[in-house]
Amino acid sequence: MQKIVTLKPYSLITPTASISTGTHGGRAKCLQRLIRLDLPVPTTVALSFETVHQIASGQLPDTGSILNAFDPGTLFSVRPSSADPDWGGPSAVLNVGMNDARHAEMIETHGETAATALYLRFVQSYAVHVARLDPDMFLAPSEPNAEALRTALENYADETGEPFPQDTAAQLGEVLRSMARAWEGTSARLLRQAKGAPADAGLGLVVQNMALGVGQDESGSGVIQFVSSQTGQSQIVGRYLSQSQGRDALKQAKGALFLTKDARGPSLEDLAPDIFAQLQGFGATCRQKLCEEMQIEFTIDAGKLYVLDAIRIQRTSRAALQVAVALAEDEIIPREDAVLRVEPRALSELLHPQVDPAASRDLIANGIAASPGAAVGRIVFSSAAAQASAARGEPCILVRRETQPEDIRGMHAANGVLTERGGQTSHAAVIARGIGTPCVVGTQGIEITHSRKKLVVADGRSFTEGDLITLDGATGEVLAGSVPMQQPELGDAFQTLLNWADEARDIGIRANADTPAEARMADAFAAEGIGLCRTEHMFYDQDRLTVMREMIFADSAEDRQATLDQLLPMQRADFLDLFIIMAGKPVCIRLFDPPLHEFLPKEREDMRDLAESLDLPIAEVTSRVDQLSEFNPMLGMRGVRLGITVPEIYDMQARAIFEAAIAAGEQGAPIVPEIMIPLVSAKREVELVKARIDAVAAAVRIESGVEFDYRIGVMVETPRACLRADEIAQHSAFLSFGTNDLTQMTYGLSRDDAGRFMSDYVKQGVYAEDPFHILDKDGVGELLQIAAERGKKSSPGITMSICGEHGGNAESIAFCREAGFDYVSCSPFRVPVARLAAAHLSIRDALTADR
Amino acid sequence: MQKIVTLKPYSLITPTASISTGTHGGRAKCLQRLIRLDLPVPTTVALSFETVHQIASGQLPDTGSILNAFDPGTLFSVRPSSADPDWGGPSAVLNVGMNDARHAEMIETHGETAATALYLRFVQSYAVHVARLDPDMFLAPSEPNAEALRTALENYADETGEPFPQDTAAQLGEVLRSMARAWEGTSARLLRQAKGAPADAGLGLVVQNMALGVGQDESGSGVIQFVSSQTGQSQIVGRYLSQSQGRDALKQAKGALFLTKDARGPSLEDLAPDIFAQLQGFGATCRQKLCEEMQIEFTIDAGKLYVLDAIRIQRTSRAALQVAVALAEDEIIPREDAVLRVEPRALSELLHPQVDPAASRDLIANGIAASPGAAVGRIVFSSAAAQASAARGEPCILVRRETQPEDIRGMHAANGVLTERGGQTSHAAVIARGIGTPCVVGTQGIEITHSRKKLVVADGRSFTEGDLITLDGATGEVLAGSVPMQQPELGDAFQTLLNWADEARDIGIRANADTPAEARMADAFAAEGIGLCRTEHMFYDQDRLTVMREMIFADSAEDRQATLDQLLPMQRADFLDLFIIMAGKPVCIRLFDPPLHEFLPKEREDMRDLAESLDLPIAEVTSRVDQLSEFNPMLGMRGVRLGITVPEIYDMQARAIFEAAIAAGEQGAPIVPEIMIPLVSAKREVELVKARIDAVAAAVRIESGVEFDYRIGVMVETPRACLRADEIAQHSAFLSFGTNDLTQMTYGLSRDDAGRFMSDYVKQGVYAEDPFHILDKDGVGELLQIAAERGKKSSPGITMSICGEHGGNAESIAFCREAGFDYVSCSPFRVPVARLAAAHLSIRDALTADR
């Protein structure tokens, strides 16, 4: 049964016609806006999505009635108009209406060259895009002369068995049908869906009177924009080419003019100062009225200027930021709008150097893009080599099968990290993101032999220590040699936008920072405090590691206390540094968390060294290492379990924190330190640790004669702690959710081991997303909600936050806002991104509420 | 301020006096019952818990008023009366009231020997128990003559500086005070708490007129009971001794008479047939009216029979079972009552194997047989090692110099306990009996060095951790190596009681069984099916292990399929065995669960062997082992993750199950096999595996031409699976909770690693109980409840069960009943215990409902 076409087949675009992006596409809507601004737009009609969809289904409207909208005997262009220009669409077709008769007439009115060029161009694009003939036969470069035209027409007739169509209505009908069908083809659909288009995304079409751009008097076409697509700074960019159509001026350098006066050659401003001034005026109008930086496509037809189209300028992240800020500073758009116009992920691009897009790339391997930015350096295979390299001031890339906690110093020293194993949340990935080091993990097809310091890639090439490679942490690509970089420059616009974001934002953003360097970065990025300071990283310095090991081997309580007494001033200095840097902002310190065996050597040789330095028989060292080794270290003797079993460690840390807080106060940076207990699963754990910490505080108060405050809270990272949040909250000033571990336990999934099947899992849709990357709302999220509800109910004033890797994620921030959390904490590098993402959420909420 | 004593200090026990076990203790209550039965009980008064507590606090009531209840000039005994006789109490004191004057009188009335014996006995026990003088000085064996009495009185005066008290009221006051204080002493409290007494358990006292048992005419004392304490079978047991008091007849073999006619010597039946007949009548009355088998303590005073006391006979578990069944069969008590009278844990004692009497024994030491049953295991020297061993599924014997409260968890984990020190009431002995673990204590001639993990026995042989030994808890023998065992023979009463239990029970009991031997045991114990068959254990046989390893090293899909094709017939045979043994009862098979690396060698040497047998370079073997190794294997690539990543393994298993089911049907054991998917955390995992299994089923149906049914379900063992039970249930015929793993993940606690701090944690009350032993209702339990609720809501007909270690626990069964689960599954040995425990719950529920 045939469907009845009820829609009007077209709308003439007038200032009052009923045209919207959602029904006719962005180009149609934009053209209406230009017409409303009284810009000289040729007569245009728009076909709606619905009409085009019916055309694709075989119901062609009466094309004659479309032609009625135009002066008879004129030519037309047909262009696509989808809801989002990024979704692509069929190529424009120009000069519809040309035929033998009109060609003959125009030889008289416009000269033979112009007339023939117009006809040839139409025949070519009709043959290729409408009749789907072989492009090679029609698009070979040739002078637009009579010979070329005749050949094209003959080829057309030979290939199709019919002469080139001469009826304008028939030509238009075929053009519309072919464009409609192209849109609904499978490959076009897949391509646009990959860019985020919905399955039923529609296509509109616009039919526009041609301003010819060829002929007598000054005729030609060009494009112009008023800011740089690279930087967003004011700059007139574009080209103009006499006797050309469409975007020819951009394609064909030869003969194309600069727009504004230019030392390199002639310009449109020289050639036609009035027209240039008119264009400048149009640009200003567009910016002011359309609230955007537009690229204008214009044609001069026999000395008269026409505006055919205008589109939002293409822009890099940097330019997007600059444009948005400038528009708001000029009060063309509100600040909130400027904030919304910059995507949070665009910021993270700005924060890292990038491989120069223009550089040639010698790809040697492909892995998971685990931490953004690009890095060049010489290969090193060990943390020691990385530190040595850094000491020599030589950039290096640390290449490991996988990283271990003892590699942290090496990772700090390296410019980039490459691992064979691991996923988005492997040790390497997490640490690298935390310290802002570019990182590629889970790299397919490479083979690393640490012992022989050799890296062999899939194509058989082999690299060794000292060879230069480049990591692209944005794409996961590993490149041979040193590839040129683009350095980030964070301009004023960056700061301005983030300040505006902060004004709008209604959830706190803190940073996870373990070292003074990270704290400084957190502070530079205006984090509102440190949400997670992991103290264990402080023990990996060689001098401290030795003392740590002595503590582990201490035979008596006195010996253990003696080593802790050595660690105390070091920890105190660590904390004082952080307190001074954060200058009064809150700092949340997580008590010692990892299992002790992480501090012991793994290799026989290192054990021998340790035995020697501790003056112990090697058998004793190996037996202690054996004793402390665990089947599942993640679920073993760590966190509060260690704190309760060997309470002297937490005692020492609490004392260091309190003494540092007193010293910070004396140095003008008063602080209320926050102390966080890790891996809690029962309220009694909190009671026991809290009692000891309170006792240490009392002792320090008495010794020092100084009063100070502190807050004790819990890192909620076991499912049980979530379920028992009501009773745990009764003893806690805050609950901070460690979503990494919580995700591991909720799924029963070690993130260190998940790499081997995670990509399989996500590919098969077993998990919609890697839950270590995107917070699992259904499972982990429900536990967070349960905990938040119960915690608040039992202790209404309690502070709630998350401090896992998910903290910087827009989705997680949305979740935390809805759950009523006070802040999120993320790696310092993610802080600007998080500030912006949080602002987006509150602005959008306000917009929704206004409606 | 002095408290005012408001309670009446004593109650004369009459048939209507207000006496209860909860206020006056069990002995007082029992005496009242005997009085109600018109048994010849001497006049008795009872002091309540409250009164005795006040006495201990220094508020002695007016003892004179107590004496008013008795005829003047008579003697008394004072005995303890606590709520539970097992809780112990101070020793009885007899002949209170004796003094010089009465001694002189009684020489006239009862003869000098009798009078002196009475006085001497009183002086001795007063000196030791009341005045706390040195027992050696007073309890040295001596004839009760005038000389001995004079010495005792002189010694008393010398030691105390005062003459022996002559006033009856004063004597009674001191006796009461000393008994009250002894009860409240620290060691008495600790001892009774170890037996389950509450901290505030009270002591009552009974003051009874003495029936003397010495003097002219036939006088004496004895005890009698009518069934064997060992077996519970009818048998008259006891002794009678002329001219004796209390339980002397039992202590002193010389001169004591048998009760019933006996070839070995004279008997009470010979001596006084009327009195013997009277006693028999009392026994029958007690059994009929008190609904119990009682041991009666009697005295003949000048030819007249008195009943001083009666207590429930002591009994082994076997006897308890026999007595309960016999009482019910005689319709003295209802069957439900008989079921309730047997503690589930008593059954587990009956189930213990014994050392095969025919086996040759390499005796290495001899100790006290402290807890019955025999056990074989590897030596461990610490509780932590015992727990680790249990976690690995390796039987072990805990060897300690002596045990401490913190060893309880290790004792639970061990199969047997051996201590160098201690007696029948040492910590080790008491606890081991309580938990039904075979135990030998006070072992002569062994030397244990915990620090060097060494056990040296008397003949100089030395044993170390990991060496196999056998304990015979029935004889106290310790044997080298693994000695063959004889399985227990369970008599008719056992079967009868469990049948009664099954009539009352309202939740299903299945067994976890992986092997034909276990399945046979499950069937023998009337498990209603197999709730968990772990297939991976089937791959550890040497021939299969080789094929497994070949599969792991397979380079191509074809090679892998070839190894799986080899495994298929083996698995099919495994399953067919189980199906035939279970003869139509349901069998739930868990698909392959462990990580592959569990099947690879750990030691370099074994890797070399493997490389040789696979004809691979050793480097390839070590690199594959490396590749597959995991940081946290528990949370790694195992269970359904392996099933999805290497789906051919599950395909093979499903095919083996279906083909075995068809074969079982043909052999007359039709079955609907249940297939369980392990470690699920997302519903899509279930969909994917289910789709493949369904496809295998379809293929097998076509190939075989046989129709068959099966059920696919999920092992719920991740917190996420609990939370998402609604959607997971939609694809599952059943949900079975693996509470071991679920506990690990809910707490973030690896069972294998928890041993190192668990005893510390329980000791400090961080966890009320080891959550791997007793189901954590608050955390894990809430997840179970959430899952059960959501699962039932989305799929009302779904079967629910638990199949973890907790399955056989009375607490867990209670939980599962309340949550509406269909069955619990536990180790075959626990099945009878679970059947009984489940029956207790439903009977108690019915009793509560009746009230």
Coordinates of all heavy atoms in Angstrom, one line a residue, chain A residues 666-687:
Chain A
E666 N 52.2 27.1 63.2 CA 53.2 28.1 63.6 C 53.8 28.8 62.4 O 54.2 30.0 62.5 CB 54.3 27.4 64.4 CG 53.9 27.0 65.8 CD 54.8 25.9 66.4 OE1 55.7 25.4 65.7 OE2 54.5 25.6 67.6
Q667 N 53.7 28.2 61.3 CA 54.3 28.8 60.1 C 53.2 29.5 59.3 O 53.3 29.7 58.1 CB 55.0 27.7 59.2 CG 56.2 27.2 59.9 CD 56.9 26.1 59.1 OE1 57.0 26.2 57.8 NE2 57.4 25.1 59.7
G668 N 52.0 29.7 59.9 CA 51.0 30.5 59.2 C 50.1 29.7 58.3 O 49.4 30.3 57.5
A669 N 50.1 28.4 58.4 CA 49.2 27.6 57.5 C 48.4 26.7 58.4 O 48.6 25.4 58.4 CB 50.0 26.8 56.5
P670 N 47.6 27.2 59.3 CA 46.8 26.4 60.2 C 45.9 25.4 59.4 O 45.4 25.7 58.4 CB 45.9 27.4 61.0 CG 45.8 28.5 60.0 CD 47.1 28.6 59.2
I671 N 45.8 24.2 60.0 CA 45.1 23.2 59.3 C 44.4 22.2 60.3 O 44.8 22.1 61.4 CB 46.1 22.3 58.4 CG1 45.3 21.3 57.6 CG2 47.1 21.6 59.3 CD1 46.0 20.8 56.4
V672 N 43.2 21.7 59.8 CA 42.5 20.7 60.6 C 42.7 19.4 59.8 O 42.0 19.1 58.8 CB 41.0 21.0 60.7 CG1 40.3 19.8 61.4 CG2 40.8 22.3 61.5
P673 N 43.8 18.6 60.1 CA 44.1 17.5 59.3 C 43.0 16.4 59.3 O 42.3 16.3 60.4 CB 45.4 16.9 59.8 CG 45.4 17.4 61.2 CD 44.7 18.7 61.2
E674 N 42.8 15.7 58.2 CA 41.8 14.7 58.2 C 42.5 13.3 58.1 O 43.4 13.2 57.3 CB 40.9 14.9 57.0 CG 40.1 16.2 57.0 CD 39.3 16.5 55.8 OE1 39.4 15.7 54.8 OE2 38.5 17.5 55.8
I675 N 42.2 12.4 58.9 CA 42.9 11.1 59.0 C 41.9 10.0 58.5 O 40.8 9.9 59.1 CB 43.4 10.8 60.4 CG1 44.4 11.9 60.8 CG2 44.0 9.5 60.5 CD1 44.9 11.8 62.3
M676 N 42.3 9.3 57.6 CA 41.4 8.3 57.0 C 41.9 6.9 57.2 O 43.0 6.6 56.9 CB 41.2 8.6 55.5 CG 40.3 7.7 54.8 SD 39.5 8.5 53.3 CE 41.0 8.6 52.2
I677 N 41.0 6.0 57.6 CA 41.3 4.6 58.0 C 40.9 3.8 56.8 O 39.7 3.8 56.4 CB 40.5 4.2 59.2 CG1 40.7 5.2 60.4 CG2 41.0 2.8 59.6 CD1 39.8 4.9 61.6
P678 N 41.8 3.1 56.2 CA 41.5 2.3 55.0 C 41.0 0.9 55.3 O 41.3 0.3 56.3 CB 42.9 2.2 54.3 CG 43.9 2.3 55.4 CD 43.3 3.0 56.5
L679 N 40.2 0.3 54.3 CA 39.8 -1.1 54.2 C 39.0 -1.5 55.4 O 39.0 -2.7 55.8 CB 41.1 -2.0 54.1 CG 40.8 -3.3 53.5 CD1 40.5 -3.2 52.0 CD2 42.0 -4.3 53.6
V680 N 38.2 -0.6 55.9 CA 37.3 -1.0 57.0 C 36.2 -1.9 56.6 O 35.7 -1.8 55.5 CB 36.7 0.3 57.6 CG1 35.6 0.1 58.6 CG2 37.8 1.1 58.3
S681 N 35.9 -2.9 57.4 CA 34.7 -3.7 57.1 C 33.8 -3.9 58.4 O 32.8 -4.5 58.3 CB 35.2 -5.1 56.6 OG 35.9 -5.8 57.6
A682 N 34.2 -3.3 59.5 CA 33.4 -3.5 60.7 C 33.6 -2.2 61.6 O 34.7 -1.7 61.6 CB 33.8 -4.7 61.5
K683 N 32.6 -1.8 62.3 CA 32.7 -0.5 63.0 C 33.7 -0.6 64.1 O 34.3 0.3 64.5 CB 31.3 -0.2 63.6 CG 30.9 -1.1 64.7 CD 29.9 -0.4 65.6 CE 29.6 -1.5 66.7 NZ 28.5 -1.3 67.5
R684 N 33.9 -1.9 64.7 CA 34.8 -2.0 65.8 C 36.2 -1.6 65.3 O 37.0 -1.1 66.1 CB 34.8 -3.4 66.3 CG 35.6 -3.7 67.4 CD 34.9 -3.5 68.8 NE 35.9 -3.7 69.9 CZ 36.2 -2.8 70.7 NH1 35.6 -1.6 70.6 NH2 37.0 -3.0 71.7
E685 N 36.6 -1.9 64.1 CA 37.9 -1.4 63.6 C 38.0 0.1 63.7 O 39.1 0.5 64.1 CB 38.0 -1.8 62.1 CG 38.1 -3.3 61.8 CD 38.0 -3.7 60.4 OE1 37.2 -3.0 59.6 OE2 38.6 -4.7 59.9
V686 N 37.0 0.8 63.5 CA 37.1 2.2 63.6 C 37.2 2.6 65.0 O 38.0 3.5 65.4 CB 35.8 2.9 62.9 CG1 35.9 4.4 62.9 CG2 35.6 2.4 61.5
E687 N 36.4 2.0 65.9 CA 36.5 2.3 67.3 C 37.9 2.1 67.8 O 38.4 3.0 68.5 CB 35.5 1.4 68.1 CG 34.0 1.8 67.8 CD 33.1 0.7 68.5 OE1 33.6 -0.3 69.0 OE2 31.9 0.9 68.4

